[in-house]
mmCIF file of all heavy atoms in Angstrom:
data_model
loop_
_atom_site.group_PDB
_atom_site.id
_atom_site.type_symbol
_atom_site.label_atom_id
_atom_site.label_comp_id
_atom_site.label_asym_id
_atom_site.label_seq_id
_atom_site.Cartn_x
_atom_site.Cartn_y
_atom_site.Cartn_z
ATOM 1 N N GLY A 91 18.623 -15.277 -5.793
ATOM 2 C CA GLY A 91 18.336 -16.423 -4.945
ATOM 3 C C GLY A 91 16.912 -16.479 -4.443
ATOM 4 O O GLY A 91 16.541 -17.398 -3.699
ATOM 5 N N GLY A 92 16.138 -15.500 -4.822
ATOM 6 C CA GLY A 92 14.728 -15.518 -4.430
ATOM 7 C C GLY A 92 14.465 -15.259 -2.966
ATOM 8 O O GLY A 92 13.372 -15.562 -2.469
ATOM 9 N N THR A 93 15.450 -14.689 -2.281
ATOM 10 C CA THR A 93 15.220 -14.384 -0.860
ATOM 11 C C THR A 93 15.049 -12.891 -0.694
ATOM 12 O O THR A 93 14.002 -12.353 -1.039
ATOM 13 C CB THR A 93 16.377 -14.904 -0.001
ATOM 14 O OG1 THR A 93 17.616 -14.391 -0.508
ATOM 15 C CG2 THR A 93 16.401 -16.430 -0.019
ATOM 16 N N TYR A 94 16.079 -12.205 -0.214
ATOM 17 C CA TYR A 94 15.945 -10.762 -0.009
ATOM 18 C C TYR A 94 16.025 -10.038 -1.334
ATOM 19 O O TYR A 94 16.469 -10.591 -2.352
ATOM 20 C CB TYR A 94 17.016 -10.259 0.970
ATOM 21 C CG TYR A 94 18.417 -10.248 0.405
ATOM 22 C CD1 TYR A 94 18.919 -9.117 -0.240
ATOM 23 C CD2 TYR A 94 19.244 -11.362 0.518
ATOM 24 C CE1 TYR A 94 20.197 -9.095 -0.759
ATOM 25 C CE2 TYR A 94 20.519 -11.351 -0.011
ATOM 26 C CZ TYR A 94 20.991 -10.219 -0.640
ATOM 27 O OH TYR A 94 22.256 -10.215 -1.165
ATOM 28 N N SER A 95 15.592 -8.798 -1.323
ATOM 29 C CA SER A 95 15.603 -7.977 -2.537
ATOM 30 C C SER A 95 16.278 -6.646 -2.238
ATOM 31 O O SER A 95 16.237 -6.162 -1.101
ATOM 32 C CB SER A 95 14.174 -7.727 -3.025
ATOM 33 O OG SER A 95 14.153 -6.823 -4.114
ATOM 34 N N THR A 96 16.898 -6.094 -3.258
ATOM 35 C CA THR A 96 17.457 -4.748 -3.147
ATOM 36 C C THR A 96 16.864 -3.862 -4.235
ATOM 37 O O THR A 96 16.514 -4.340 -5.323
ATOM 38 C CB THR A 96 18.985 -4.755 -3.283
ATOM 39 O OG1 THR A 96 19.343 -5.343 -4.541
ATOM 40 C CG2 THR A 96 19.631 -5.524 -2.144
ATOM 41 N N LEU A 97 16.753 -2.598 -3.904
ATOM 42 C CA LEU A 97 16.302 -1.593 -4.857
ATOM 43 C C LEU A 97 17.338 -0.480 -4.847
ATOM 44 O O LEU A 97 17.549 0.181 -3.841
ATOM 45 C CB LEU A 97 14.928 -1.054 -4.452
ATOM 46 C CG LEU A 97 14.320 0.024 -5.362
ATOM 47 C CD1 LEU A 97 14.043 -0.532 -6.758
ATOM 48 C CD2 LEU A 97 13.018 0.565 -4.769
ATOM 49 N N LYS A 98 18.011 -0.327 -5.975
ATOM 50 C CA LYS A 98 19.071 0.659 -6.075
ATOM 51 C C LYS A 98 18.588 1.835 -6.908
ATOM 52 O O LYS A 98 17.947 1.644 -7.968
ATOM 53 C CB LYS A 98 20.314 0.054 -6.720
ATOM 54 C CG LYS A 98 21.471 1.034 -6.880
ATOM 55 C CD LYS A 98 22.600 0.475 -7.726
ATOM 56 C CE LYS A 98 23.415 -0.544 -6.999
ATOM 57 N NZ LYS A 98 24.639 -0.936 -7.769
ATOM 58 N N VAL A 99 18.904 3.025 -6.434
ATOM 59 C CA VAL A 99 18.580 4.251 -7.174
ATOM 60 C C VAL A 99 19.906 4.934 -7.502
ATOM 61 O O VAL A 99 20.675 5.291 -6.609
ATOM 62 C CB VAL A 99 17.679 5.193 -6.356
ATOM 63 C CG1 VAL A 99 17.270 6.392 -7.213
ATOM 64 C CG2 VAL A 99 16.441 4.461 -5.853
ATOM 65 N N GLN A 100 20.186 5.075 -8.797
ATOM 66 C CA GLN A 100 21.476 5.601 -9.219
ATOM 67 C C GLN A 100 21.380 6.284 -10.572
ATOM 68 O O GLN A 100 21.045 5.607 -11.567
ATOM 69 C CB GLN A 100 22.504 4.447 -9.309
ATOM 70 C CG GLN A 100 23.882 4.855 -9.750
ATOM 71 C CD GLN A 100 24.824 3.669 -9.887
ATOM 72 O OE1 GLN A 100 24.409 2.551 -10.176
ATOM 73 N NE2 GLN A 100 26.113 3.914 -9.661
ATOM 74 N N PRO A 101 21.648 7.577 -10.699
ATOM 75 C CA PRO A 101 21.845 8.523 -9.606
ATOM 76 C C PRO A 101 20.508 9.027 -9.076
ATOM 77 O O PRO A 101 19.535 9.139 -9.832
ATOM 78 C CB PRO A 101 22.606 9.653 -10.291
ATOM 79 C CG PRO A 101 22.062 9.652 -11.686
ATOM 80 C CD PRO A 101 21.764 8.213 -12.017
ATOM 81 N N ALA A 102 20.464 9.327 -7.798
ATOM 82 C CA ALA A 102 19.212 9.785 -7.193
ATOM 83 C C ALA A 102 18.888 11.221 -7.606
ATOM 84 O O ALA A 102 19.782 12.058 -7.765
ATOM 85 C CB ALA A 102 19.302 9.693 -5.675
ATOM 86 N N GLU A 103 17.597 11.478 -7.788
ATOM 87 C CA GLU A 103 17.095 12.806 -8.112
ATOM 88 C C GLU A 103 16.155 13.247 -6.989
ATOM 89 O O GLU A 103 15.686 12.427 -6.204
ATOM 90 C CB GLU A 103 16.349 12.793 -9.447
ATOM 91 C CG GLU A 103 17.206 12.421 -10.635
ATOM 92 C CD GLU A 103 18.210 13.504 -11.014
ATOM 93 O OE1 GLU A 103 18.032 14.660 -10.564
ATOM 94 O OE2 GLU A 103 19.157 13.203 -11.763
ATOM 95 N N LEU A 104 15.868 14.544 -6.954
ATOM 96 C CA LEU A 104 15.023 15.087 -5.888
ATOM 97 C C LEU A 104 13.652 14.404 -5.833
ATOM 98 O O LEU A 104 13.130 14.116 -4.748
ATOM 99 C CB LEU A 104 14.821 16.592 -6.081
ATOM 100 C CG LEU A 104 16.075 17.465 -6.040
ATOM 101 C CD1 LEU A 104 15.716 18.934 -6.275
ATOM 102 C CD2 LEU A 104 16.807 17.309 -4.728
ATOM 103 N N GLU A 105 13.109 14.092 -7.019
ATOM 104 C CA GLU A 105 11.755 13.529 -7.069
ATOM 105 C C GLU A 105 11.688 12.075 -6.613
ATOM 106 O O GLU A 105 10.603 11.498 -6.538
ATOM 107 C CB GLU A 105 11.173 13.640 -8.486
ATOM 108 C CG GLU A 105 11.914 12.853 -9.542
ATOM 109 C CD GLU A 105 12.936 13.689 -10.289
ATOM 110 O OE1 GLU A 105 13.391 14.704 -9.732
ATOM 111 O OE2 GLU A 105 13.255 13.329 -11.431
ATOM 112 N N ASP A 106 12.863 11.499 -6.317
ATOM 113 C CA ASP A 106 12.885 10.115 -5.829
ATOM 114 C C ASP A 106 12.585 10.056 -4.333
ATOM 115 O O ASP A 106 12.402 8.959 -3.777
ATOM 116 C CB ASP A 106 14.242 9.473 -6.093
ATOM 117 C CG ASP A 106 14.590 9.440 -7.564
ATOM 118 O OD1 ASP A 106 13.648 9.409 -8.403
ATOM 119 O OD2 ASP A 106 15.797 9.465 -7.901
ATOM 120 N N SER A 107 12.543 11.197 -3.689
ATOM 121 C CA SER A 107 12.246 11.229 -2.254
ATOM 122 C C SER A 107 10.867 10.647 -1.990
ATOM 123 O O SER A 107 9.920 10.888 -2.723
ATOM 124 C CB SER A 107 12.302 12.673 -1.738
ATOM 125 O OG SER A 107 13.591 13.205 -1.830
ATOM 126 N N GLY A 108 10.794 9.872 -0.921
ATOM 127 C CA GLY A 108 9.529 9.250 -0.561
ATOM 128 C C GLY A 108 9.780 8.077 0.367
ATOM 129 O O GLY A 108 10.902 7.860 0.823
ATOM 130 N N VAL A 109 8.732 7.328 0.631
ATOM 131 C CA VAL A 109 8.861 6.121 1.448
ATOM 132 C C VAL A 109 8.686 4.920 0.545
ATOM 133 O O VAL A 109 7.689 4.814 -0.183
ATOM 134 C CB VAL A 109 7.818 6.083 2.589
ATOM 135 C CG1 VAL A 109 8.014 4.824 3.429
ATOM 136 C CG2 VAL A 109 7.934 7.334 3.460
ATOM 137 N N TYR A 110 9.652 4.031 0.602
ATOM 138 C CA TYR A 110 9.641 2.832 -0.230
ATOM 139 C C TYR A 110 9.221 1.652 0.636
ATOM 140 O O TYR A 110 9.872 1.330 1.623
ATOM 141 C CB TYR A 110 11.029 2.589 -0.833
ATOM 142 C CG TYR A 110 11.368 3.627 -1.885
ATOM 143 C CD1 TYR A 110 11.770 4.907 -1.509
ATOM 144 C CD2 TYR A 110 11.259 3.340 -3.247
ATOM 145 C CE1 TYR A 110 12.041 5.875 -2.467
ATOM 146 C CE2 TYR A 110 11.539 4.300 -4.208
ATOM 147 C CZ TYR A 110 11.920 5.566 -3.801
ATOM 148 O OH TYR A 110 12.192 6.531 -4.754
#
Side-chain angles (χ1 to χ4, degrees):
Chain A
T93 54
Y94 71 91
S95 174
T96 58
L97 180 64
K98 179 190 285 188
V99 185
Q100 179 183 29
E103 297 289 343
L104 298 179
E105 64 265 24
D106 300 333
S107 295
V109 181
Y110 290 77

